[in-house]
Amino acid sequence: LLLAGIDAGPRPGAPARLAALLDEAVDATDEPMRVDVRSGPNATVEPGAAIELLHIVSEVVDHVTAIHPGARVEVASRTEAPGGIVVEVRTASNTRYDPSGRRGMVAAARIAQRSRSGLVLRTPLPGPAGSGAPVATIHCPARAVTVHDLDYAPWPAEPSYDALGRPGFGGTNGALHHDPEPETPAHGIP
């Protein structure tokens, strides 16, 4: 419905935890095992914005995994003044293969353009190959999120390498680090 531009009307329900929402978005992608979700702010997202954010993040991640074959992808979030959040999708891949154009990114942009919650998708100019610069950022305004505290690990300034020597961010090897209790996510290895 979102892609077709059909207004689904009010979305009932409780706000969604940002960490759980990002996990769900990654689980909905074609290659969730290649995606690491980093810890972020303790925040909740209002129901309407949560649905939009889930679909935008899923489309962007699918796009990035398609154009960077075999590369690790990172999804991270941080707070943004005045009280909003930003979700960043990054990869340190030097390889870019894009035979289908920007189909996934176009779908994500269409959802963001029709956002009733004020979500904004930005695709910055690419940085140097392998720099880990964001492929896309999704901005969620303060009216759609509640940030409960600022106790989280910030995004690293420089990419690091995983246990196999591949470029990555923090060497998480697919493990999620945003929940204090250990659990095995559907898309990763604890």
Side-chain angles (χ1 to χ4, degrees):
L1 291 176
L2 290 175
L3 265 179
I6 297 171
D7 184 2
R11 294 166 178 106
R17 284 182 44 242
L18 177 61
L21 182 67
L22 295 178
D23 286 343
E24 187 176 346
V26 168
D27 286 342
T29 65
D30 291 337
E31 298 188 59
M33 293 298 293
R34 290 180 38 208
V35 183
D36 298 319
V37 179
R38 291 189 49 88
S39 60
N42 179 10
T44 52
V45 182
E46 294 304 313
I51 291 169
E52 294 170 350
L53 184 61
L54 182 140
H55 288 285
I56 293 169
V57 171
S58 293
E59 291 290 345
V60 169
V61 169
D62 268 339
H63 172 75
V64 173
T65 57
I67 66 170
H68 296 281
R72 298 296 305 171
V73 175
E74 290 252 339
V75 175
S77 56
R78 60 180 167 80
T79 58
E80 176 179 63
I85 58 165
V86 175
V87 176
E88 295 180 338
V89 180
R90 297 178 177 231
T91 184
S93 174
N94 291 326
T95 306
R96 183 178 167 94
Y97 175 73
D98 197 0
S100 64
R102 298 174 60 86
R103 183 176 46 211
M105 201 63 84
V106 169
R110 186 174 301 144
I111 295 168
Q113 287 170 348
R114 294 179 177 149
S115 173
R116 293 178 15 170
S117 306
L119 300 182
V120 175
L121 173 65
R122 293 190 179 120
T123 53
L125 293 174
S131 69
V135 175
T137 58
I138 302 102
H139 300 260
C140 193
R143 68 183 169 153
V145 298
T146 302
V147 178
H148 303 286
D149 63 51
L150 298 177
D151 185 26
Y152 65 96
W155 188 263
E158 296 293 326
S160 61
Y161 296 88
D162 69 10
L164 300 175
R166 298 175 299 199
F169 301 92
T172 60
N173 288 337
L176 301 179
H177 295 283
H178 54 256
D179 288 326
E181 66 275 356
E183 62 180 291
T184 303
H187 68 279
I189 301 170

